[in-house]
Every structure is written in C-alpha cells, then in structure tokens.
Amino acid sequence: MKTRSKLFFLCLVSAMMFSMLILTSGGSVLAAETVRIGVMTPLSPPGATLLGKFILQGAEMGVEYVNAKGGVLGGRKIELFVEDDSGTPEKGIAGYRRLVSQKNVSAIIGQVHSSVMIAVGDLSEKLGVPIFSTQASSKTITEKHLMTAFRTHAIDPDRARMWLKFIQEMGYKRIALLAENTDYGLGLVDETKAGAKKLGLKLELKDLIFDKKVVDLTPQLLELKAWKPDLLIDIHSVPTTAYLMVKQAYDIQLFPKAPILASFDWPGRAEFWKNLGDKGNYILFISYYHPNMKLTERGEWFKKEYHKKYGEFPIYAAFNGFGQILILADALEMAKSDKPADLIVALEKGEFKSWNGTVKFDRGEGPYWHQWSPPLMVLQYTETNQSPKDAPILYPPEMKTGSYKAPN
Amino acid sequence: MIDSLLLSQYLIAGIVIGIMYALMAIGITFIYSIMKMINWSMGEFYMMGSYLQYFLVVYFLGANLWFLGIPLSMAVVFVAGMIIQRYLLRPMFVGEMERKDEYATVVTVSLMVFFRNLAVVLAGPNQFAPPDYAGPTHIGPLPVSGNRFVALIGTLVILGLFYLIVKKTWVGKALRGSAQNRVGIQTAGVNVLRVDQIAFGIGVSLAAAAGALLAPIFLVWPENGAIATMKGFEIIVIGGLGSIPGSLLAGLLLGIVESLGSILISPSFRDVYGFILVLGILVVRPTGLFGERQRVA
C-alpha cells in the first residue's frame, strides 16, 4: 500500500512538473512547431515538369534562406509540403484539398498551368487558403477577384501587348499563331486579336490551334509555310513539344526563314541547345528576366547560392519560387499569425522585398487584382550555344541591347 | 482550296509518320498473336530503346556510329524482355490459371508505371536528343529531316528482317505454329514456353527499335512511349488483332487520316480522327481489316 502511494505521488509530481514546463516555456514549445507552406506544381507529365522542378528548387532555397535567418513568428521554421499536379486540373484540385485538409498549410505556391490554377482558384475561395500563381498567366485567374488568388507573374494581355508592339516596330504584317488548345493557348490568341484591334494594327492573323499532346505538327507547319508568315508566334505551355515543333519547322525549311517567337522563356534553359543544336539559332523569346538585370540583395544571394548548389544559374521559374517563399515569410511576420485569413490581410496590406523588386498586391482593376507583374522583354539567340546572358534584348526600347539578326 | 503540291506534301508526311506508327503496332500484335495477351507496357520498351540509343550514341559510339546503337538497343531490350517474360509473365502459362488476361494486364500495367518512374529517378524529367542521324533531304516535293528519312528506311529494313525471320527460319516456323495452335505445335516437339519468351523478346525489341530510330525526332523523355502506345493500339484495332499486314496497312491509314484531317478540318482534333477511323472500321468490320473471328472449341 505504501509503495502504491509513493508511486501515485511520483506520477502526480511528474505530471505537475511536465505541465509547469509546458506553461512556463509556452513560447519555446510553440517555437518548435513549424509553419507549413505547400508547393503544388507539375512534377510529372503532361505538365511542364522542368518548370515544376525549378520552382521547387527555388522554394526549397527560399525556406533555407528564411530558416537560416531565424525563421518566422518568433523562431518557427518553415516546412514545405509538396504536391504534384501533373499540369491537370483534377490532380490540382485533389492536391490542393490534401495540402489544406491533411497538411494544414497556411498558403500554397507553385502554380504553372493556367487551367489548373483557374480550377484550384475557385476551390481556394471556398477553403480559404491562399494560392499563388508562380508561372500561370491567364488573365482569368486574377480577373475573378478571388480573395485567395495571388500572382507574381506576367498576365496574357501584357504579354500580347508586348509582342504586338514588337511586331509593330519590326513592321511585320502576316502573323501566324500556333497555339495549344488550353486556357493559356486560346487566351493568348484572343488577347492578340483584341490587342491588335485596340492598337489599330492592320495585321493578317492566322491561328492554328492544336492539341497539347500532339508531337507531330508537320502538316500544320506545311500549311503555315505555304501561307508565308512574317512571324510565327508559338504558344506551347510544355517545352517538350515546343522543341519538337522548332525541329519540325526547321526540317521543312520554314524556320528560321520565318522567325519564331516563343511565348515564354523555355529557350532560356540549358537543355534548349542540347535538344536543338543549330536548329534553335535565331529563335526569339519572351522573357521576364535577363541575367544582366539588377537584382535585390535577396535575388543576388539566391543567384550565387543556387549556382553553388546546382552548378548553373537559376532561371526565372526558380527565382519566382524563391521569391514567393520570401513574400510569404514577410507576410507571416506582418500578420503575426499563420492563419490563412490573417495572411491574406497582410498580403493585401504589405510591401514585400522579393528577388527583383518590391512586390505589392493591390485590389486592382480587371486582371490586375492581387497582381504583380515582372518586366517583359523580347530576346533573341544570335549564335548557336549562346548563353541567355549574351542574348540581346530586342524590345522594349528602354531595355534594348541589340537588333534583330536575320539568318544568313 | 488546297493545291496539289500541298496535298501531296500532307500525304507524304502522313505516310512517313504512319510507317513509324506501324513498327510499334507490329510489336504489340506480334506478342498478342503468340501469347494471346496485350502488353500494356509496350511504350516503356519504346522509351527504353530511345534512352539506350541516346546513351550509346552520346557516351560510347559517337555521332558517326549512331546506326550501331539501334541493333545494340534492340539486343539489350530483347534480353530484358526475355527476362521479364520468364519471371513475371511465364507463371500465367504454367499450370491452371484462371483469368490470364487480368493477370497479364496487372503485370504489364505495373511494369508501365514502374519503368516510367524508374526513368524519372535515373535520368530526371528532362528531355534528351541524340545527334542528328542525317542532314535534311527531300521525299518527292516534301522537304524532310534526315532523321525522318533514316527512320523511314530503318523501319522498312527492320520490317523486312522481321518478315524473313518469321517466314524463313526454324524459329519463325515455331512462332507461326504457336500462333496458329498452341496445343498442336507441342505435338511437334516445340517448347511453347520458350517460344513465348522469344516472341516477347522480339516484340519488345521492335518497340525498342522504334524508340531508337525516332529518338532524334520525338526526343527522349520518360513518357515518350505513351503516344506511340496509344497509336499502336489504335492500329491493331484498325488492322485486326494479330495481323501483321493489317498493322502495316492500318499504320499508313492512320498516318494519312491524321495528316489530312488536321489540315482539312482542324488540327485541334488530330487524335480524334484516329478514333473516328477506329469506330468506323469497327462498325463495318468488327474484327478489323485483316482480323479473323476467334474459333472457340
């Protein structure tokens, strides 16, 4: 009996001491709890897997950066939870639900495909966890004025306006639009037509819409060759099939006689030259970043450390993944909470230092709601195996470093 | 109105791609005709062939000896196919097994998922392209890449060799006998289990040949076999399951229909034209162009 009393007493004291420990060091126990952020991005086909990979690498380094500087909310570390949306809306919806309901994340970054982001955006409004477009550009995403959708990437109307002004400067008249049948492709075709009308350009526009998964576009390219375009705008969202298109256009002697303008910066990757060799020379492409651009201190840190870690310089997707983690870290500090609702308030109110400047999410008009746009430019490769660093900027005039070079 | 030059260009483009599709389909239909099972992982053997060709050409053989990579890739995949058949598929033919089709489907679908993921783990999601096999050329009025021309000739050579093996060799006789009557051929002293193994090896090596020949055209990446597989299955339905001439003709038909459909109607529905052709053929001839009704004893 005596032994049993002693044992009871011992348990009681232990329980009290444990409770005291929790009560007195509440902060430090809580400090051990991480702040959870989701990365939902395409990591398997038919999505743009490489973009997903770069975004994830950037986000991971963003977490390293924040955690090395002491974390957020009084020393709490950021922890990433990754979901692969494969570039398909159904997987995106399932992934968003998993991140929100099972992983309890405070926010999600990494969206690449407009179709996925549009589908997930509607769901996010119901579940209340903010989602960021890292490289999805359809204007519909932000045009819906969702409280939970944010973007730090160029939107379609701006992109179309950029190439229309470039077309105007170059004096091109016959423009072929080769676009995939997705929100991204169809959206850009519509924006180009509307933009040309708005700018009063007298252009002959011919659009050819193809299925995203088609690997052989030879018949379409033959038709375009017969049409004799001054410029072919390629609107692919997946670089794999875009490489094939350039090869096929070269093989039937359409390109580079007729220049190709890629709708985003996929030619900026190292694999571009490996896959295309000489056939890729003279390509024009839209970019949101040039390696000679001035970056913020955070951007310079990332560029240097990324190179140290991966042996190559980061591309825009990686920068944007990194930048969005930093924006969220600053917003968490500002909100003093990791609750999604508090985070949204902070995101709307604050100004955040990212990799390329100060980011703000205003309640702007139309698609400029929760929208921050990076600079847009038209680059051209003028030599085989040229580094993006040496690719001249052809447009806009204030950034221009070279003129269009036609093939010999 | 399309002028005749453009029309002939579309036709030639369709024929070129159609013959390449046929190589894939012949592998599938060949395995079916012997083993009476569908290999759903055929595209992954195509993918293996393309990766092997890339690594052989880039790291060992060099750009000038690219043609040696094709038989080597075929040989490696042939051996891999024999091993897979021996340990994963043979059990369904030994003893009394119910639901053989389901067994084969589960095994080959699992292989498909496994090999795709293995490729991502080993080589990453990136695309690779071996050096060009040849410079640009012309087929009639159509300017084509040297790679396509080589793939076309290579496909015809491989199909010719395949025909010779099946028609003129002892192994070919055993394969044909096994396709006609699995029980009867055993009375002639043929080991059907060994014939199955060889048939599976030959079938997947044809897919590997397609992958190796098309590597510089359609690039090398973990899912590059998916489209080839889909087209292959469309072709065997059109041509008739188990019919090799049917596969060849159906490949050509599919290539031409896709090429013309995407120009005359809309390129958005390129894959749909193939399925419309499949449905049309099934309505008129449910067994496909050259297929025969199965006789059940």
Side-chain angles (χ1 to χ4, degrees):
Chain A
M1 199 62 188
K2 211 174 176 184
T3 319
R4 191 177 281 185
S5 301
K6 268 185 183 171
L7 194 66
F8 176 73
F9 182 71
L10 199 67
C11 285
L12 191 70
V13 170
S14 304
M16 282 172 68
M17 283 175 72
F18 186 62
S19 310
M20 292 255 305
L21 189 72
I22 290 175
L23 286 171
T24 53
S25 61
S28 63
V29 169
L30 282 176
E33 196 186 307
T34 56
V35 174
R36 298 168 163 221
I37 292 178
V39 179
M40 186 163 76
T41 200
L43 295 168
S44 63
T49 50
L50 268 181
L51 279 183
K53 187 182 105 175
F54 289 129
I55 288 169
L56 183 57
Q57 287 174 346
E60 284 168 349
M61 289 193 65
V63 170
E64 268 175 42
Y65 179 89
V66 174
N67 288 346
K69 289 199 178 284
V72 291
L73 302 175
R76 288 168 66 185
K77 303 285 183 203
I78 290 181
E79 189 179 2
L80 282 188
F81 289 87
V82 182
E83 277 289 334
D84 171 17
D85 64 29
S86 299
T88 56
E90 63 277 13
K91 282 197 181 175
I93 285 175
Y96 181 90
R97 280 190 189 280
R98 251 194 309 275
L99 285 172
V100 171
S101 58
Q102 291 174 21
K103 305 296 179 193
N104 299 317
V105 297
S106 302
I108 298 167
I109 69 152
Q111 283 297 282
V112 167
H113 295 278
S114 295
S115 315
V116 184
M117 179 73 192
I118 290 168
V120 174
D122 294 337
L123 179 66
S124 74
E125 198 70 350
K126 284 182 199 152
L127 300 187
V129 174
I131 181 147
F132 278 68
S133 158
T134 314
Q135 209 161 341
S137 65
S138 170
K139 69 173 182 179
T140 314
I141 294 165
T142 42
E143 211 172 37
K144 287 182 172 182
H145 293 193
L146 302 175
M147 287 306 294
T148 44
F150 294 84
R151 172 161 50 194
T152 59
H153 180 55
I155 54 170
D156 291 346
D158 292 349
R159 191 192 306 256
R161 200 174 307 123
M162 157 67 62
W163 66 48
L164 283 167
K165 286 185 175 172
F166 172 69
I167 285 166
Q168 192 177 19
E169 187 182 89
M170 294 296 292
Y172 295 143
K173 293 286 172 218
R174 287 165 78 82
I175 312 297
L177 297 156
L178 191 62
E180 62 178 38
N181 57 354
T182 59
D183 289 304
Y184 175 68
L186 300 174
L188 273 170
V189 169
D190 290 345
E191 288 302 333
T192 306
K193 288 179 178 171
K197 213 175 263 179
K198 216 171 176 180
L199 290 169
L201 301 179
K202 287 191 175 131
L203 300 177
E204 283 182 70
L205 293 168
K206 181 181 178 74
D207 59 286
L208 275 179
I209 312 297
F210 61 87
D211 187 89
K212 185 182 169 182
K213 289 177 192 160
V214 165
V215 291
D216 185 26
L217 286 167
T218 308
Q220 291 73 41
L221 294 167
L222 282 167
E223 187 181 346
L224 291 181
K225 189 185 171 195
W227 191 67
K228 295 188 176 69
D230 295 331
L231 176 73
L232 193 164
I233 300 177
D234 165 60
I235 312 174
H236 267 91
S237 68
V238 181
T240 310
T241 39
Y243 294 133
L244 297 177
M245 188 280 298
V246 175
K247 271 188 160 215
Q248 288 153 13
Y250 182 92
D251 290 339
I252 62 157
Q253 295 157 20
L254 168 64
F255 171 74
K257 203 174 152 196
I260 290 178
L261 172 66
S263 62
F264 74 104
D265 62 345
W266 55 265
R269 301 169 195 182
E271 62 172 16
F272 175 82
W273 293 116
K274 283 185 198 157
N275 287 336
L276 290 172
D278 288 347
K279 296 178 183 180
N281 198 13
Y282 302 110
I283 196 161
L284 300 158
F285 57 102
I286 295 286
S287 189
Y288 331 94
Y289 162 70
H290 192 281
N292 297 338
M293 247 167 78
K294 190 169 162 37
L295 304 179
T296 62
E297 199 181 310
R298 288 171 161 194
E300 289 297 347
W301 177 90
F302 177 66
K303 194 174 167 182
K304 198 174 126 202
E305 293 300 315
Y306 187 97
H307 187 259
K308 226 188 263 176
K309 191 168 182 179
Y310 296 106
E312 59 184 27
F313 285 108
I315 65 162
Y316 170 78
F319 272 116
N320 230 8
F322 170 77
Q324 289 185 340
I325 294 291
L326 266 48
I327 290 167
L328 281 172
D330 289 352
L332 283 160
E333 289 288 41
M334 206 177 160
K336 296 185 173 54
S337 157
D338 63 354
K339 285 185 184 147
D342 298 336
L343 197 55
I344 290 170
V345 173
L347 283 166
E348 280 196 334
K349 279 187 183 164
E351 285 191 3
F352 310 98
K353 274 261 178 303
S354 186
W355 60 277
N356 53 351
T358 303
V359 173
K360 275 189 79 184
F361 298 106
D362 293 328
R363 291 188 172 191
E365 294 287 314
Y368 297 94
W369 170 275
H370 288 180
Q371 165 70 28
W372 186 83
S373 305
L376 278 162
M377 58 201 98
V378 178
L379 269 57
Q380 187 193 18
Y381 282 136
T382 52
E383 283 168 34
T384 304
N385 293 323
Q386 193 171 41
S387 153
K389 194 170 182 281
D390 302 321
I393 301 171
L394 310 190
Y395 202 85
E398 64 272 20
M399 298 175 91
K400 192 168 177 169
T401 58
S403 299
Y404 173 70
K405 188 177 174 186
N408 298 322
Chain B
M1 191 67 192
I2 298 173
D3 68 39
S4 56
L5 176 71
L6 209 51
L7 192 66
S8 61
Q9 286 184 337
Y10 298 151
L11 272 174
I12 293 168
I15 290 168
V16 171
I17 197 84
I19 289 177
M20 293 174 200
Y21 286 162
L23 187 58
M24 187 74 189
I26 286 171
I28 299 172
T29 210
F30 181 65
I31 290 174
Y32 177 82
S33 64
I34 310 287
M35 295 174 68
K36 302 289 180 273
M37 60 157 272
I38 300 279
N39 177 13
W40 296 98
S41 59
M42 207 62 174
E44 283 50 56
F45 290 98
Y46 168 102
M47 178 262 287
M48 265 187 231
S50 66
Y51 271 104
L52 282 165
Q53 174 72 358
Y54 174 78
F55 286 109
L56 284 168
V57 172
V58 172
Y59 296 106
F60 299 104
L61 301 170
N64 295 330
L65 294 176
W66 60 266
F67 51 88
L68 290 180
I70 293 163
L72 285 172
S73 305
M74 288 177 75
V76 173
V77 173
F78 175 79
V79 173
M82 297 249 288
I83 294 169
I84 286 166
Q85 196 280 345
R86 171 67 184 81
Y87 292 102
L88 296 178
L89 295 167
R90 196 177 195 176
M92 77 186 219
F93 295 104
V94 179
E96 287 297 312
M97 178 178 277
E98 288 179 11
R99 301 182 183 278
K100 283 183 183 175
D101 291 345
E102 283 88 334
Y103 177 90
T105 302
V106 169
V107 170
T108 54
V109 169
S110 306
L111 282 172
M112 175 176 82
V113 175
F114 173 72
F115 284 129
R116 276 188 198 180
N117 286 288
L118 187 67
V120 174
V121 170
L122 295 179
N126 312 40
Q127 297 87 38
F128 302 92
D132 284 344
Y133 295 157
T137 183
H138 279 77
I139 299 179
L142 176 72
V144 289
S145 83
N147 297 324
R148 276 184 194 238
F149 188 70
V150 164
L152 180 66
I153 301 298
T155 303
L156 294 173
V157 168
I158 287 166
L159 290 179
L161 285 173
F162 175 72
Y163 177 83
L164 283 178
I165 289 171
V166 171
K167 290 282 179 192
K168 306 285 179 191
T169 65
W170 187 90
V171 174
K173 276 184 190 163
L175 288 166
R176 280 186 288 140
S178 187
Q180 285 166 16
N181 191 326
R182 281 180 76 85
V183 177
I185 196 77
Q186 290 180 68
T187 62
V190 173
N191 179 351
V192 283
L193 296 177
R194 178 50 60 90
V195 170
D196 286 347
Q197 203 176 3
I198 294 169
F200 194 82
I202 291 176
V204 296
S205 69
L206 287 175
L213 281 167
L214 299 176
I217 304 168
F218 295 134
L219 305 184
V220 179
W221 85 96
E223 295 226 357
N224 66 356
I227 289 164
T229 310
M230 191 180 75
K231 301 293 174 196
F233 285 115
E234 279 178 46
I235 289 167
I236 56 172
V237 175
I238 297 166
L241 198 55
S243 166
I244 288 165
S247 293
L248 195 57
L249 184 71
L252 286 171
L253 256 177
L254 183 68
I256 292 168
V257 165
E258 281 187 351
S259 181
L260 292 183
S262 57
I263 287 304
L264 301 174
I265 307 168
S266 163
S268 306
F269 310 115
R270 186 177 168 131
D271 285 336
V272 175
Y273 307 129
F275 286 114
I276 291 172
L277 182 66
V278 168
L279 290 174
I281 296 284
L282 285 177
V283 169
V284 182
R285 271 188 70 89
T287 53
L289 292 174
F290 288 77
E292 287 175 6
R293 283 189 190 282
Q294 200 176 5
R295 282 167 290 183
V296 180

